[in-house]
Amino acid sequence: MDRKAHWENVFKTKSLSEVSWYEVVPETSLSFFEKSNISKSAKIIDIGGGDSFLVDHLLKLGYKDITVLDISETALDRAKERLKSQSKKVKWIVADVADFLPPEHYDFWHDRAAFHFLTEEQDINSYIETVQEYLNKNGNLVVGAFSENGPKKCSGLAIKQYSERTMTNQFKIYFEKIRCIKIDHKTPFDTNQNFVFCWFKKVI
């Protein structure tokens, strides 16, 4: 299956508020940035950021070095259009995170619901190796994924569910767990999706 073609089609056929991950204020993600107390000049990358509103809020908070990566060029174009002239302050990368080769190192790697679409061991291992290589020492890694009580599919694709234990096990070689939380995300369709978010620090 062509992952890129699938996601281009999703963003070409559905409006911003017609996708399950829509949220005007990504409170959970923003709370990790607040608690991390990172510098406003820290290098941040949002994996699978698409046309989410996280980048808008990070810009408003004064963060100056933000990269947004998504497999869908259409999604990123929509975000750029929304941000207008502010979009020039952001680095935009069209890539599949499963074989992404970062152009620089980062201080904060944020991923809300991209990692759980990687269901093949090879893709998962590639992702983890990339994060450990391109996240600076003591850098922050925040990953949000569907929990074991969450959906088993999203946008017609199978996903991999995680618990606090299984998420921690995936990253424990290179990362120390700071904390994990479970949250219910309310979709635009008035349903709840249960997520597990884990925050790690790079220790190696």
Side-chain angles (χ1 to χ4, degrees):
M1 185 207 68
D2 186 333
R3 266 198 295 246
K4 180 171 173 57
H6 174 87
W7 288 110
E8 293 292 5
N9 182 61
V10 167
F11 285 102
K12 282 175 180 172
T13 57
K14 292 184 183 293
S15 70
L16 186 62
S17 59
E18 288 179 323
V19 292
S20 64
W21 52 89
Y22 174 70
E23 54 181 355
V24 177
V25 182
E27 292 177 358
T28 302
S29 295
L30 288 169
S31 72
F32 287 106
F33 282 92
E34 182 185 357
K35 288 179 172 65
S36 72
N37 203 30
I38 61 166
S39 160
K40 292 296 191 282
S41 60
K43 290 184 175 295
I44 297 166
I45 186 164
D46 184 20
I47 300 296
D51 60 353
S52 88
F53 285 89
L54 178 63
V55 63
D56 307 54
H57 291 277
L58 292 177
L59 287 169
K60 282 179 189 171
L61 289 167
Y63 291 102
K64 296 177 174 61
D65 197 334
I66 306 166
T67 299
V68 179
L69 174 145
D70 203 273
I71 196 170
S72 168
E73 188 168 6
T74 304
L76 297 184
D77 285 345
R78 284 176 17 171
K80 290 179 199 175
E81 188 177 340
R82 184 182 72 238
L83 286 166
K84 297 185 172 60
S85 62
Q86 289 277 91
S87 69
K88 294 182 176 66
K89 298 178 179 177
V90 180
K91 300 167 194 172
W92 306 92
I93 297 176
V94 179
D96 184 339
V97 72
D99 53 22
F100 171 48
L101 185 61
E104 56 187 331
H105 288 72
Y106 302 98
D107 302 303
F108 200 117
W109 179 293
H110 171 269
D111 178 339
R112 178 193 181 273
F115 182 61
H116 67 200
F117 281 107
L118 303 180
T119 56
E120 300 293 331
E121 206 64 34
Q122 180 179 337
D123 288 343
I124 293 168
N125 290 337
S126 173
Y127 181 107
I128 294 166
E129 289 298 324
T130 300
V131 182
Q132 76 84 17
E133 186 174 348
Y134 288 94
L135 190 66
N136 291 324
K137 190 171 182 184
N138 297 318
N140 297 276
L141 167 64
V142 171
V143 180
F146 285 149
S147 78
E148 292 172 315
N149 299 317
K152 294 182 178 175
K153 294 184 106 178
C154 181
S155 290
L157 298 179
I159 60 90
K160 185 174 174 66
Q161 295 176 320
Y162 285 93
S163 64
E164 177 174 347
R165 180 183 60 81
T166 57
M167 179 77 79
T168 303
N169 282 344
Q170 288 285 19
F171 292 96
K172 68 182 180 182
I173 299 175
Y174 309 110
F175 298 90
E176 176 188 358
K177 181 182 74 179
I178 305 301
R179 68 190 290 246
C180 292
I181 59 171
K182 276 190 169 185
I183 63 119
D184 278 323
H185 164 64
K186 194 163 198 173
T187 73
F189 326 117
D190 211 27
T191 57
N192 284 325
Q193 296 177 333
N194 194 247
F195 277 80
V196 57
F197 275 80
C198 285
W199 173 20
F200 303 95
K201 282 270 192 183
K202 185 180 175 187
V203 292
I204 293 179

